[in-house]
Amino acid sequence: MVAYIVRRVIGAVLLLAITTMVTFGIFFLVPRLAGQTTDQIAAQYVGRDPSPEEITLTKRRLGLDDPLVVQYGRFVKGLVAGTDYSYGPNTEFCPPPCFGYSFKYQRAVWPDLVDRFPVTLSLAVGAAAIWLVAGVAIGVLSALRKGTVFDRAAMITALAGVSLPIFFTGLLTLAFIRPEGVVFVPFTENPPAWAGNLLLPWVTLAFLFAAGYARLTRATMLETVGEDYIRTARAKGLPERTVIGKHALRATMTPTLTMFGLDLGLLLGGAVLTESTYSLPGLGKYAVDAIRQNDLPQILGVTTLAAFFIVVANLVVDLLYAVVDPRVRLG
Amino acid sequence: MTAPLDVSGTESSARPEAVLQGAGRQAIEGRSLGQIAWARLRRDKVAITGGVVIVLLIVVAVLAPVITNVVGGPPDKFNEELIDPTFSSPKGSGIFAGVSWEHPLGVEPVNGRDVFSRILYGARISLLIGFLATLVSVVLGVFFGVVAGYFGGWVDTLISRIMDVFLAFPLLLFAIALVGVVPDEAFGLSGNGLRLAVLVFIIGFFSWPYIGRIIRGQTLSLREREFVDAARSLGARSPYILFRELLPNLVAPIIVYSTLLIPTNILFEAALSFLGVGIERPTATWGKMLEQAVPFYSVAPLFVVVPGLAIFITVLAFNLLGDGLRDALDPRGTR
């Protein structure tokens, strides 16, 4: 077990290193490959219509003419140890974890990310809870009532669910259920208002995923109830509730968990769309606004954070795997 | 001591000649895998409906200029006289405000462009990007999947790890960031041509692991089959085995999973357009129509419903056809 955990943690750290490289590469290598000059890159760090002096100054301050390896080193150093940013007359120390400094708004990126994190976290956790419970429950019921009206209706709804874009269902709920829109109320301030406002975004986001989990659970369940050990459990005279709830359901946990690990990335993408649809001030909305403003440090910061989150969450999923399926620990 | 065989049963009463006669009247046909699959698919009404809808969509998209000549008019023509100046929404009351014989699906808020024409022209972008991006993912996915599955060892480990990482990442976030950093002029292209190429490449590039994993799995099992051993013992080299022996056996999963990848890619394009990083104005796309609908969802709900339904129907049709194809071509598949 310990060896398994150590192996996974080392893998996660390696992945983090690669991730920062890829993220960094997107923003500093791709534009160069596409033929952008360092002047044009520097222009993205300052306000609209910058003067040539401003650009030269920014270029020197950011060291954009340095080799990419050096720039990457600086980026990592900022994340780990913090770094100094000079804007105009002053120099500001950006403490670790320094996710960059937006020259357009003259503010560090990290505090903004921290501000917006609760919104995205609330959205993601609530939606994930709803879709896991609903998806697995519908899948199990469908499998137990295979071929009935309920099964057919559930599977048709599931197919419709994966075909509906979040931003469409979101706008529909806004147009026909809650025309006044939703606002984010922090959980610590007023839990009922928090849940009441987030209910529609949760359901919208969860609907898309619940469909996939219902289909998966149904398929696994149908396979499992044909297994010998289920017949043995029934032959022992165990009540059906125990056979399904304890023996069969356990087998559907592993594929569900695998899918959940794979879906975390999609969940963040879904959060971007949901936040844009409902105008919720979360990390996804922040990323979209940053891209519209072409504010490179903000985009780089939020993508790096998202990548970090995914790596850590996948590590947690891997460790949960070992708890759910003992074979994993030995393998 | 075994019981004597009971030969007086009804089964044996049919004379062998009768069986032969029956066979003689209806000649035994050898049916290829494709024919069997087609026969199965034809019985699947739902999948056929999906296929018919797709064909109709393609026809409508191709004929968009002809159709809009009759109804709707040019997609970029402003009809401000149909817009209520105080609310910027189409004149009229109720959900069907703005609907008329000339504008069967109503007009856009603010500038009054015809929704029907824009939906038809939007279909061109959706389908074009959906198909081309899928082509990119299929080429990449099949290549890396076959290579990983066939060679195994460290090649397989490397490619599989890359696919895992890809699948785990917030692709939408990376994609919007990437579209954002590509400058206005690059690779000798500019304007919407460049945008289209960038979108096709990015969507295709981020979707290849879905198909890569499946092809890898299929290759792993095909690799152990006798015909591969036979080819190798006759002196065939790896490229020959890969492309002449393995690839033809992978046609069924490739068809099935490409059909299922097209709707994913159409949704991906719509999402990018919705977030404002798709094809640029004034070209109509479904995702962008929904983006424009955001401030008007309460005054012009029809403008939310129409492009949303267009996306939904298209994506659902591909999903239904893909599910049907999977059942027809791969009966041992997930169901």
PDB file of all heavy atoms in Angstrom, chain B residues 257-275:
ATOM      1  N   TYR B 257     -16.624   4.733 -33.936  1.00  0.00           N
ATOM      2  CA  TYR B 257     -16.197   5.774 -33.017  1.00  0.00           C
ATOM      3  C   TYR B 257     -15.996   7.121 -33.700  1.00  0.00           C
ATOM      4  O   TYR B 257     -16.091   8.149 -33.045  1.00  0.00           O
ATOM      5  CB  TYR B 257     -15.000   5.305 -32.183  1.00  0.00           C
ATOM      6  CG  TYR B 257     -15.468   4.216 -31.253  1.00  0.00           C
ATOM      7  CD1 TYR B 257     -15.307   2.870 -31.571  1.00  0.00           C
ATOM      8  CD2 TYR B 257     -16.196   4.531 -30.106  1.00  0.00           C
ATOM      9  CE1 TYR B 257     -15.818   1.869 -30.755  1.00  0.00           C
ATOM     10  CE2 TYR B 257     -16.708   3.543 -29.290  1.00  0.00           C
ATOM     11  CZ  TYR B 257     -16.516   2.216 -29.609  1.00  0.00           C
ATOM     12  OH  TYR B 257     -17.046   1.244 -28.816  1.00  0.00           O
ATOM     13  N   SER B 258     -15.779   7.127 -35.033  1.00  0.00           N
ATOM     14  CA  SER B 258     -15.778   8.438 -35.711  1.00  0.00           C
ATOM     15  C   SER B 258     -17.177   9.013 -35.675  1.00  0.00           C
ATOM     16  O   SER B 258     -17.348  10.203 -35.433  1.00  0.00           O
ATOM     17  CB  SER B 258     -15.363   8.341 -37.179  1.00  0.00           C
ATOM     18  OG  SER B 258     -14.409   7.389 -37.374  1.00  0.00           O
ATOM     19  N   THR B 259     -18.182   8.159 -35.922  1.00  0.00           N
ATOM     20  CA  THR B 259     -19.554   8.664 -35.899  1.00  0.00           C
ATOM     21  C   THR B 259     -19.899   9.215 -34.524  1.00  0.00           C
ATOM     22  O   THR B 259     -20.623  10.188 -34.396  1.00  0.00           O
ATOM     23  CB  THR B 259     -20.539   7.546 -36.271  1.00  0.00           C
ATOM     24  OG1 THR B 259     -20.018   6.841 -37.380  1.00  0.00           O
ATOM     25  CG2 THR B 259     -21.893   8.109 -36.615  1.00  0.00           C
ATOM     26  N   LEU B 260     -19.368   8.584 -33.476  1.00  0.00           N
ATOM     27  CA  LEU B 260     -19.669   9.064 -32.128  1.00  0.00           C
ATOM     28  C   LEU B 260     -18.815  10.271 -31.750  1.00  0.00           C
ATOM     29  O   LEU B 260     -19.143  11.002 -30.823  1.00  0.00           O
ATOM     30  CB  LEU B 260     -19.473   7.944 -31.110  1.00  0.00           C
ATOM     31  CG  LEU B 260     -20.547   6.862 -31.164  1.00  0.00           C
ATOM     32  CD1 LEU B 260     -20.173   5.673 -30.292  1.00  0.00           C
ATOM     33  CD2 LEU B 260     -21.891   7.415 -30.719  1.00  0.00           C
ATOM     34  N   LEU B 261     -17.692  10.471 -32.466  1.00  0.00           N
ATOM     35  CA  LEU B 261     -16.820  11.603 -32.146  1.00  0.00           C
ATOM     36  C   LEU B 261     -17.313  12.887 -32.816  1.00  0.00           C
ATOM     37  O   LEU B 261     -17.106  13.980 -32.286  1.00  0.00           O
ATOM     38  CB  LEU B 261     -15.390  11.288 -32.606  1.00  0.00           C
ATOM     39  CG  LEU B 261     -14.274  12.114 -31.992  1.00  0.00           C
ATOM     40  CD1 LEU B 261     -14.317  12.045 -30.477  1.00  0.00           C
ATOM     41  CD2 LEU B 261     -12.924  11.623 -32.480  1.00  0.00           C
ATOM     42  N   ILE B 262     -17.979  12.741 -33.975  1.00  0.00           N
ATOM     43  CA  ILE B 262     -18.472  13.936 -34.679  1.00  0.00           C
ATOM     44  C   ILE B 262     -19.356  14.797 -33.767  1.00  0.00           C
ATOM     45  O   ILE B 262     -19.120  15.994 -33.646  1.00  0.00           O
ATOM     46  CB  ILE B 262     -19.198  13.546 -35.981  1.00  0.00           C
ATOM     47  CG1 ILE B 262     -18.195  12.965 -36.973  1.00  0.00           C
ATOM     48  CG2 ILE B 262     -19.887  14.754 -36.601  1.00  0.00           C
ATOM     49  CD1 ILE B 262     -18.834  12.364 -38.211  1.00  0.00           C
ATOM     50  N   PRO B 263     -20.369  14.210 -33.081  1.00  0.00           N
ATOM     51  CA  PRO B 263     -21.200  15.070 -32.220  1.00  0.00           C
ATOM     52  C   PRO B 263     -20.406  15.726 -31.097  1.00  0.00           C
ATOM     53  O   PRO B 263     -20.657  16.882 -30.756  1.00  0.00           O
ATOM     54  CB  PRO B 263     -22.257  14.115 -31.660  1.00  0.00           C
ATOM     55  CG  PRO B 263     -21.722  12.757 -31.869  1.00  0.00           C
ATOM     56  CD  PRO B 263     -20.863  12.824 -33.085  1.00  0.00           C
ATOM     57  N   THR B 264     -19.433  14.998 -30.524  1.00  0.00           N
ATOM     58  CA  THR B 264     -18.603  15.595 -29.473  1.00  0.00           C
ATOM     59  C   THR B 264     -17.879  16.816 -30.023  1.00  0.00           C
ATOM     60  O   THR B 264     -17.810  17.866 -29.375  1.00  0.00           O
ATOM     61  CB  THR B 264     -17.549  14.567 -29.004  1.00  0.00           C
ATOM     62  OG1 THR B 264     -18.204  13.327 -28.815  1.00  0.00           O
ATOM     63  CG2 THR B 264     -16.907  14.994 -27.720  1.00  0.00           C
ATOM     64  N   ASN B 265     -17.349  16.675 -31.241  1.00  0.00           N
ATOM     65  CA  ASN B 265     -16.617  17.787 -31.827  1.00  0.00           C
ATOM     66  C   ASN B 265     -17.537  18.943 -32.211  1.00  0.00           C
ATOM     67  O   ASN B 265     -17.138  20.101 -32.131  1.00  0.00           O
ATOM     68  CB  ASN B 265     -15.816  17.310 -33.037  1.00  0.00           C
ATOM     69  CG  ASN B 265     -14.622  16.475 -32.615  1.00  0.00           C
ATOM     70  OD1 ASN B 265     -14.222  16.498 -31.455  1.00  0.00           O
ATOM     71  ND2 ASN B 265     -14.053  15.723 -33.537  1.00  0.00           N
ATOM     72  N   ILE B 266     -18.764  18.624 -32.624  1.00  0.00           N
ATOM     73  CA  ILE B 266     -19.718  19.698 -32.933  1.00  0.00           C
ATOM     74  C   ILE B 266     -20.034  20.474 -31.651  1.00  0.00           C
ATOM     75  O   ILE B 266     -20.073  21.708 -31.646  1.00  0.00           O
ATOM     76  CB  ILE B 266     -21.002  19.118 -33.568  1.00  0.00           C
ATOM     77  CG1 ILE B 266     -20.688  18.642 -34.995  1.00  0.00           C
ATOM     78  CG2 ILE B 266     -22.120  20.160 -33.598  1.00  0.00           C
ATOM     79  CD1 ILE B 266     -21.855  18.024 -35.715  1.00  0.00           C
ATOM     80  N   LEU B 267     -20.219  19.748 -30.545  1.00  0.00           N
ATOM     81  CA  LEU B 267     -20.470  20.413 -29.261  1.00  0.00           C
ATOM     82  C   LEU B 267     -19.265  21.251 -28.845  1.00  0.00           C
ATOM     83  O   LEU B 267     -19.405  22.345 -28.306  1.00  0.00           O
ATOM     84  CB  LEU B 267     -20.758  19.378 -28.169  1.00  0.00           C
ATOM     85  CG  LEU B 267     -22.157  18.796 -28.126  1.00  0.00           C
ATOM     86  CD1 LEU B 267     -22.268  17.764 -27.014  1.00  0.00           C
ATOM     87  CD2 LEU B 267     -23.176  19.894 -27.894  1.00  0.00           C
ATOM     88  N   PHE B 268     -18.071  20.734 -29.092  1.00  0.00           N
ATOM     89  CA  PHE B 268     -16.833  21.434 -28.759  1.00  0.00           C
ATOM     90  C   PHE B 268     -16.778  22.767 -29.516  1.00  0.00           C
ATOM     91  O   PHE B 268     -16.525  23.828 -28.935  1.00  0.00           O
ATOM     92  CB  PHE B 268     -15.650  20.544 -29.155  1.00  0.00           C
ATOM     93  CG  PHE B 268     -14.380  20.795 -28.393  1.00  0.00           C
ATOM     94  CD1 PHE B 268     -13.504  19.747 -28.115  1.00  0.00           C
ATOM     95  CD2 PHE B 268     -14.026  22.062 -27.943  1.00  0.00           C
ATOM     96  CE1 PHE B 268     -12.329  19.955 -27.419  1.00  0.00           C
ATOM     97  CE2 PHE B 268     -12.848  22.283 -27.250  1.00  0.00           C
ATOM     98  CZ  PHE B 268     -12.003  21.224 -26.990  1.00  0.00           C
ATOM     99  N   GLU B 269     -17.078  22.703 -30.816  1.00  0.00           N
ATOM    100  CA  GLU B 269     -17.054  23.929 -31.628  1.00  0.00           C
ATOM    101  C   GLU B 269     -18.094  24.919 -31.130  1.00  0.00           C
ATOM    102  O   GLU B 269     -17.817  26.120 -30.988  1.00  0.00           O
ATOM    103  CB  GLU B 269     -17.314  23.587 -33.093  1.00  0.00           C
ATOM    104  CG  GLU B 269     -17.168  24.757 -34.059  1.00  0.00           C
ATOM    105  CD  GLU B 269     -18.429  25.584 -34.210  1.00  0.00           C
ATOM    106  OE1 GLU B 269     -19.537  25.039 -34.062  1.00  0.00           O
ATOM    107  OE2 GLU B 269     -18.316  26.802 -34.451  1.00  0.00           O
ATOM    108  N   ALA B 270     -19.304  24.400 -30.818  1.00  0.00           N
ATOM    109  CA  ALA B 270     -20.366  25.284 -30.332  1.00  0.00           C
ATOM    110  C   ALA B 270     -19.940  25.946 -29.023  1.00  0.00           C
ATOM    111  O   ALA B 270     -20.177  27.135 -28.809  1.00  0.00           O
ATOM    112  CB  ALA B 270     -21.655  24.495 -30.143  1.00  0.00           C
ATOM    113  N   ALA B 271     -19.279  25.165 -28.150  1.00  0.00           N
ATOM    114  CA  ALA B 271     -18.834  25.709 -26.868  1.00  0.00           C
ATOM    115  C   ALA B 271     -17.805  26.820 -27.084  1.00  0.00           C
ATOM    116  O   ALA B 271     -17.880  27.881 -26.463  1.00  0.00           O
ATOM    117  CB  ALA B 271     -18.249  24.602 -25.998  1.00  0.00           C
ATOM    118  N   LEU B 272     -16.853  26.564 -27.990  1.00  0.00           N
ATOM    119  CA  LEU B 272     -15.836  27.593 -28.263  1.00  0.00           C
ATOM    120  C   LEU B 272     -16.486  28.851 -28.829  1.00  0.00           C
ATOM    121  O   LEU B 272     -16.149  29.970 -28.426  1.00  0.00           O
ATOM    122  CB  LEU B 272     -14.782  27.060 -29.242  1.00  0.00           C
ATOM    123  CG  LEU B 272     -13.851  25.979 -28.707  1.00  0.00           C
ATOM    124  CD1 LEU B 272     -12.917  25.491 -29.788  1.00  0.00           C
ATOM    125  CD2 LEU B 272     -13.043  26.500 -27.536  1.00  0.00           C
ATOM    126  N   SER B 273     -17.437  28.671 -29.745  1.00  0.00           N
ATOM    127  CA  SER B 273     -18.137  29.830 -30.307  1.00  0.00           C
ATOM    128  C   SER B 273     -18.899  30.567 -29.218  1.00  0.00           C
ATOM    129  O   SER B 273     -18.910  31.792 -29.165  1.00  0.00           O
ATOM    130  CB  SER B 273     -19.143  29.395 -31.365  1.00  0.00           C
ATOM    131  OG  SER B 273     -18.506  29.166 -32.566  1.00  0.00           O
ATOM    132  N   PHE B 274     -19.544  29.785 -28.339  1.00  0.00           N
ATOM    133  CA  PHE B 274     -20.331  30.384 -27.258  1.00  0.00           C
ATOM    134  C   PHE B 274     -19.429  31.234 -26.360  1.00  0.00           C
ATOM    135  O   PHE B 274     -19.837  32.278 -25.866  1.00  0.00           O
ATOM    136  CB  PHE B 274     -21.004  29.283 -26.446  1.00  0.00           C
ATOM    137  CG  PHE B 274     -21.764  29.784 -25.258  1.00  0.00           C
ATOM    138  CD1 PHE B 274     -22.978  30.424 -25.419  1.00  0.00           C
ATOM    139  CD2 PHE B 274     -21.267  29.631 -23.972  1.00  0.00           C
ATOM    140  CE1 PHE B 274     -23.682  30.906 -24.327  1.00  0.00           C
ATOM    141  CE2 PHE B 274     -21.968  30.114 -22.876  1.00  0.00           C
ATOM    142  CZ  PHE B 274     -23.173  30.745 -23.058  1.00  0.00           C
ATOM    143  N   LEU B 275     -18.203  30.768 -26.159  1.00  0.00           N
ATOM    144  CA  LEU B 275     -17.279  31.507 -25.292  1.00  0.00           C
ATOM    145  C   LEU B 275     -16.578  32.633 -26.034  1.00  0.00           C
ATOM    146  O   LEU B 275     -15.730  33.315 -25.472  1.00  0.00           O
ATOM    147  CB  LEU B 275     -16.249  30.549 -24.691  1.00  0.00           C
ATOM    148  CG  LEU B 275     -16.844  29.513 -23.743  1.00  0.00           C
ATOM    149  CD1 LEU B 275     -15.794  28.508 -23.318  1.00  0.00           C
ATOM    150  CD2 LEU B 275     -17.443  30.190 -22.519  1.00  0.00           C
TER     151      LEU B 275
END
